[in-house]
Structures are given as structure tokens and as C-alpha cells.
Amino acid sequence: MLMNNFEFYSPTDFVFGKNTEEQTGLLVKRFGGKRLLVVYGQGHAVKSGLMDRVEKALKEAELYYVLLGGIQPNPTDEEVYKGIDLGRQHNVDMILAVGGGSAIDAAKAMAAGIPDNGDFWDFYEGTRTVESALPVGVVLTIPAAGSEGSGNSVITQVASNKKISLRTPRALRPKFSILNPELTYSLPPYQTSAGAVDMMAHIMERYFTNTEHTELTDRLSESILKTIIEVTPQVLDRPEDYDARATLMWCGTLAHTGLCGTGNVEDWSSHALEHELSAFYGVTHGAGLAVIFPAWLTFMVEHNPKKVIKWAHCVWDVNPSGNDKEDALEGISRFKKFLHRIGMPTTIKELGIDNYDIDMLNEHLHVIKGEKVGNYVPLDHKMSKEIYEIAQHE
């Protein structure tokens, strides 16, 4: 399989550096916003004083805005409906997300739903396509999901426990994203580490492909992965190291713009497997990925080892021994040691899940994704169940 034709579209205006949140009002006006719905999370943006600075910038720009706070991790359709109703009541023409991936994902769903005559959930179920939406702006506080640079959004439907990713390469990409690394200084270590794993997973979902002759794309991916591996411990050891924080923040954005997947047939089965964990057990997405991805890799050593071997050699610096399987397993071992070094779990037990129901998770996975999941090795019911089983063990 040769490198695919592709279209790379990444129009977001990234405004990076210290005090850049002070430009919020000017950026909103640059992209035509006059009446804003400001969506933010469960307290960090307020406690840190960021919301005060954002509101000051909006007032100085003489913009009308209404606030919607308290967006939870793994945002739900109920929160989106609330935002849609509020946005319509105030006749907003732009959504501003202040926070991490959850606030941004919810804001994108609201941006699609407010001008639409139907149910926004149709877009996530795949029965309709987002053709147009309100513009979205971002002030990022948590480098992790990469939602500040993508058209993707993940929402959980409360009634069904369906956690579904929507991909809209054009309509829902943010018009601008403000990235000030200083805003991440006060993040708890666990949240910082979970974010780093999320970044790595976004790259690896693209890196693990059967597409041949994507050397440049592979090397871009390997470089960002190695940088995350290098700087994450630095950030944890020195939380106010601006340079390390800046590097990690930019890694998170580059991981999810689509750049690392150019020319590849991407996989995304590990994300699908993890979405069931976070939907049913409420685990932090990055922590869930820290458990699922090593299990997925271990499975792939027996079923499609080629790219796992390359990943071990090029990302984890495993010296080729002449035994490819041993090299691949050594790469996985080094990955798990890194995860433990940054305080992440690698097993279901370490996630704290006591009522782990593999059959329920696996059945629900295939209800949402169909008979086969992913592309690197399309996973049937038996295969995906085996990965969930591997995730239980050291």
C-alpha cells in the first residue's frame, strides 16, 4: 500500500506565548465575533484568575458575552443541549472555549447545534454531516486533547452511555487558539501526565499504519513522541519550567492537527477501546489510554508486528538484536516504565476499576463501531476482547 493522496487543512491561527490571553477580545473581533457564548470547565479557569483576564479583554473590546461554566470531563449531551439553548436565547455568533479538551469539545458541539434545525446528536451518530457552524475560539489551559487544533469533538450521550467522536476537518476547526504555557503551571501532576499520554496516543493512532513509504510522516511522529518522552518528566520535576511547559504544549497541538497522519490510513482502535472505559467507569481519558495502548501493542506483536518493531527501535532506542519479537516487547516494556515514571497506570487494577465487565464493554464497543474496529488490524469481537483481557495484567 503506497502513501495515500491527502488533503491537509489546518487554518487555525495559533497565538502562542506569555500573556497571550490578553489578546482574546482582539482575536474574537478579527474573526467577526460580536456576541459570545463563553464555555469553561469546573473551576481551574476561575481559581487561577484566567476568567477574570479573559472577561477584561472581552469588555475592553466592547463585546457582548454570556457565560456557561462547569463543563465536566467527558462532556455530555445534556451539557451541550444546555449550551445550545443558552446560545440561542442570547443570539450568539461565536463560541469561546476556555479550558482543555472537554470545554473545547463541548463548545464545538454547541457551535454545530445552535444554528441547526435538528438534533445535534445526529452529527455524532453519523446520520447527518456538519456543513456549517458558528466559529469557535479557544483559550487553552490543558495541553492534552489537541482539540485546539483539530475539527474533532467527543461527546457522551448520557442515556445510552455512547461516547462518540465526531470528525469535521473543516466546519469545527477553531478559528484561533491562544496557547500560554504559563496557564499550565498549576495543573496537578496526574492531569499533566494524562495529557502527555493523550498526545502520544494521538500520534500513535496515526503512526501504526499499514501504509508504506511515509518516511517523512513517520519521522515527524517519532520526533514528537521522543520530545514528549523527554520533556514530560522535566515538567513534573519543575512545574514552572517555562521552556519545558512550552515544548509540551506545542507537542499536544502538533499531535492532533492531522500533520502526523498525512498519507497514512490511520487506526484509532485504541481510542475506541478506551472510550468504553471512560464512558462506563469515568476514568480520565489519558489514564485509560495508558492502560489500553500497551495492551493493544502486546496484541499486535503476535498479529502485525512490523510497525511495533520500528516504533521500538526509533522511539524507544531499542538496539536491533536480530530477534524482532524481543525488540518489540522491549519497546513495550520501556513504554510501560515511562508511564509508571510519570505516575500513570498500565493495568485495569491500577485504574481502580473493581467491577470490570469485559463482555459488557466489548459488546457496547461493537454496537457503536460495528463488526470491525480500526485499520492496522481490524478487530473483531474476539480480538477486542483479548485486548481488554490483556489490559488486566502486568
Side-chain angles (χ1 to χ4, degrees):
M1 182 186 298
L2 300 178
M3 181 174 177
N4 289 357
N5 294 357
F6 67 87
E7 183 174 353
F8 177 63
Y9 179 73
S10 185
T12 304
D13 188 350
F14 296 106
V15 183
F16 192 102
K18 297 181 179 182
N19 304 316
T20 45
E21 66 272 17
E22 296 173 2
Q23 301 179 43
T24 304
L26 297 175
L27 287 162
V28 168
K29 293 181 79 169
R30 179 187 299 174
F31 290 97
K34 297 178 181 178
R35 300 176 65 86
L36 298 180
L37 173 61
V38 182
V39 180
Y40 58 98
Q42 292 189 316
H44 177 71
V46 175
K47 293 176 184 176
S48 67
L50 173 60
M51 283 302 301
D52 289 338
R53 298 195 296 278
V54 169
E55 288 193 67
K56 182 176 183 286
L58 297 178
K59 289 172 181 175
E60 288 176 347
E62 299 181 337
L63 293 163
Y64 177 91
Y65 64 91
V66 59
L67 302 176
L68 177 60
I71 301 299
Q72 67 183 46
N74 299 317
T76 68
D77 61 329
E78 293 177 350
E79 294 173 298
V80 174
Y81 288 124
K82 183 177 179 180
I84 290 171
D85 289 343
L86 187 61
R88 288 174 177 170
Q89 289 170 21
H90 291 266
N91 194 29
V92 303
D93 57 18
M94 180 180 278
I95 315 292
L96 177 68
V98 182
S102 296
I104 302 168
D105 284 4
K108 290 176 181 176
M110 295 169 196
I114 288 171
D116 185 66
N117 293 323
D119 186 346
F120 91 93
W121 188 251
D122 294 344
F123 301 134
Y124 289 78
E125 289 276 22
T127 58
R128 291 191 298 131
T129 302
V130 182
E131 300 295 343
S132 62
L134 297 185
V136 175
V138 171
V139 180
L140 185 67
T141 62
I142 305 174
S147 196
E148 71 277 4
S150 79
N152 296 14
S153 168
V154 182
I155 302 293
T156 299
Q157 187 181 52
V158 174
S160 66
N161 250 352
K162 290 181 178 179
K163 185 175 181 180
I164 298 179
S165 174
L166 172 68
R167 300 182 184 184
T168 53
R170 293 182 177 273
L172 292 177
R173 280 187 187 270
K175 298 298 182 184
F176 69 86
S177 288
I178 294 171
L179 291 80
N180 177 359
E182 291 180 311
L183 300 179
T184 70
Y185 284 177
S186 59
L187 285 177
Y190 190 85
Q191 202 166 18
T192 296
S193 295
V197 177
D198 200 4
M199 299 173 197
M200 295 180 76
H202 288 157
I203 298 167
M204 292 193 295
E205 296 281 19
R206 297 171 164 102
Y207 182 81
F208 288 103
T209 178
N210 296 311
T211 311
E212 302 283 353
H213 304 298
T214 57
E215 288 83 0
L216 176 58
T217 301
D218 282 358
R219 285 173 182 162
L220 288 170
S221 297
E222 291 159 4
S223 175
I224 300 172
L225 284 170
K226 289 175 75 69
T227 303
I228 295 167
I229 294 163
E230 177 184 345
V231 301
T232 302
Q234 295 173 12
V235 166
L236 294 173
D237 293 341
R238 302 186 300 276
E240 296 190 8
D241 182 333
Y242 180 84
D243 292 329
R245 286 283 188 185
T247 299
L248 188 62
M249 181 174 251
W250 192 231
C251 283
T253 300
L254 293 179
H256 209 33
T257 60
L259 180 67
C260 293
T262 46
N264 288 350
V265 175
E266 300 174 5
D267 186 63
W268 295 99
S269 59
S270 291
H271 264 70
L273 288 156
E274 194 291 320
H275 281 168
E276 300 305 313
L277 285 181
S278 50
F280 282 98
Y281 300 114
V283 304
T284 300
H285 178 53
L289 287 168
V291 171
I292 291 296
F293 232 117
W296 182 90
L297 288 162
T298 301
F299 175 88
M300 290 304 161
V301 170
E302 299 297 335
H303 294 82
N304 189 1
K306 182 177 180 180
K307 209 65 182 278
V308 185
I309 297 163
K310 182 178 181 182
W311 169 84
H313 292 160
C314 296
V315 175
W316 296 104
D317 299 324
V318 176
N319 291 321
S321 67
N323 187 320
D324 287 344
K325 181 177 179 179
E326 286 188 6
D327 290 356
L329 291 174
E330 175 61 21
I332 296 168
S333 175
R334 294 185 186 188
F335 182 31
K336 292 169 80 170
K337 287 177 182 176
F338 167 78
L339 294 171
H340 284 140
R341 162 68 176 86
I342 65 172
M344 285 286 98
T346 58
T347 66
I348 292 297
K349 182 180 180 180
E350 291 174 9
L351 270 178
I353 298 174
D354 296 323
N355 56 333
Y356 186 48
D357 189 334
I358 291 176
D359 290 329
M360 179 270 292
L361 291 173
N362 200 46
E363 181 62 30
H364 199 260
L365 169 70
H366 288 279
V367 166
I368 294 175
K369 292 297 185 180
E371 289 297 313
K372 298 290 181 68
V373 181
N375 295 300
Y376 187 65
V377 169
L379 303 175
D380 61 21
H381 287 67
K382 182 179 179 181
M383 292 173 170
S384 55
K385 183 176 180 180
E386 183 176 340
I387 293 171
Y388 279 132
E389 290 171 341
I390 294 171
Q392 295 183 96
H393 308 298
E394 292 289 348

